[in-house]
Amino acid sequence: MQTRTDRITAHGGSFDVQVWLPDAGSGPGVLLVQEIYGVGPYIEKVALDLASRGYVVAAPDLFWRLQPHWKGEHTPEGTTASIELAQGFDLAQGVADCALTVDHLRSLPEVSGGVGTLGFCLGGSVGYMLATQIELEAVLSFYGSAVPDATGLMDRIDAPLLLVFGGSDPFITRDRVAVVERAAEGRANVVMHVEEKAGHAFHNSEAPMFHQPEAAERTWEVALAFLEEHLPTR
């Protein structure tokens, strides 16, 4: 498996994008959108997993305007610092940067078979908003806090959409998840997956305070099946 860092020019400067290539050398593209901890060990672990399954993965440094190459520690202190940094994040600019990254992915000779996106927490919100603006082959949004207040935008998403939430998330409470469930009803392109006993960021294996292994494993199987259906590697 090969990795490299590409550079993308954007409004106000340029930013790094980490790219992982599968052993086959080519495959469908996946835009992997970070959470508040940046493109750190957790995002890298997810990228390696996806690349091992045949995807070309690109993870942009979304906080480049605030603090380039930010990697927050998965500790209470690191979480607090990451939250403080993320408060200065411009969501619209982040979505625009991700759109540029999708364009970059589509232009790569290693990418064939379409491009999808997968985002966690902050990245789940970014990915959802991105899907309202550009065409994608698959959209996977894990516990995006902006989604419940943006269900009216679901009409703009034509791509297959997987929305993942924890039913016991203190940051996105169950009544807010129910708002999303109601909005998703009757939409053939939308799949809801709620782990009722799981909290926020339950898939993050680098964060002991959040990680719930059983829920994470079940959900990852759902996510991989969703990707394979809509963005097959073969």
Side-chain angles (χ1 to χ4, degrees):
M1 188 181 304
Q2 297 181 18
T3 63
R4 68 170 187 252
T5 301
D6 291 354
R7 192 83 174 168
I8 294 179
T9 300
H11 176 70
S14 59
F15 60 93
D16 284 341
V17 178
Q18 288 186 233
V19 178
W20 291 260
L21 299 175
D23 288 337
S26 64
V30 173
L31 167 71
L32 180 58
V33 193
Q34 67 177 66
E35 10 81 297
I36 60 173
Y37 299 105
V39 184
Y42 169 58
I43 294 299
E44 291 169 1
K45 184 182 293 185
V46 173
L48 287 169
D49 188 342
L50 292 174
S52 74
R53 300 174 189 276
Y55 294 99
V56 177
V57 185
D61 176 19
L62 285 193
F63 287 168
W64 66 276
R65 292 183 177 89
L66 302 171
Q67 189 165 331
H69 308 126
W70 169 259
K71 292 186 180 183
E73 294 183 1
H74 291 82
T75 62
E77 297 78 12
T79 300
T80 298
S82 296
I83 290 173
E84 290 176 354
L85 181 65
Q87 288 174 349
F89 178 69
D90 187 312
L91 181 62
Q93 284 190 326
V95 171
D97 289 344
C98 283
L100 290 173
T101 306
V102 169
D103 288 342
H104 180 71
L105 266 171
R106 292 193 190 278
S107 73
L108 294 179
E110 297 94 344
V111 172
S112 60
V115 174
T117 185
L118 166 63
F120 299 94
C121 304
L122 173 68
S125 296
V126 171
Y128 179 86
M129 295 301 185
L130 178 67
T132 70
Q133 299 182 16
I134 69 171
E135 292 186 6
L136 293 158
E137 276 64 53
V139 179
L140 293 80
S141 171
F142 278 56
Y143 25 80
S145 60
V147 176
D149 289 326
T151 55
L153 298 177
M154 209 175 285
D155 286 335
R156 301 183 188 178
I157 301 177
D158 296 323
L161 172 63
L162 173 65
L163 295 167
V164 173
F165 292 96
S168 301
D169 188 335
F171 303 103
I172 309 172
T173 53
R174 191 62 183 84
D175 61 316
R176 303 303 294 151
V177 175
V179 169
V180 183
E181 287 177 316
R182 288 193 293 272
E185 286 180 4
R187 297 181 186 271
N189 66 313
V190 182
V191 175
M192 287 286 301
H193 180 80
V194 182
E195 285 288 340
E196 293 294 354
K197 295 182 179 180
H200 195 68
F202 64 84
H203 184 263
N204 191 336
S205 56
E206 294 294 314
M209 66 183 118
F210 296 128
H211 188 219
Q212 293 178 253
E214 292 183 3
E217 183 177 353
R218 279 193 301 271
T219 302
W220 194 235
E221 289 178 358
V222 170
L224 291 174
F226 186 86
L227 270 177
E228 189 58 35
E229 178 181 357
H230 302 291
L231 200 63
T233 55
R234 297 178 182 83

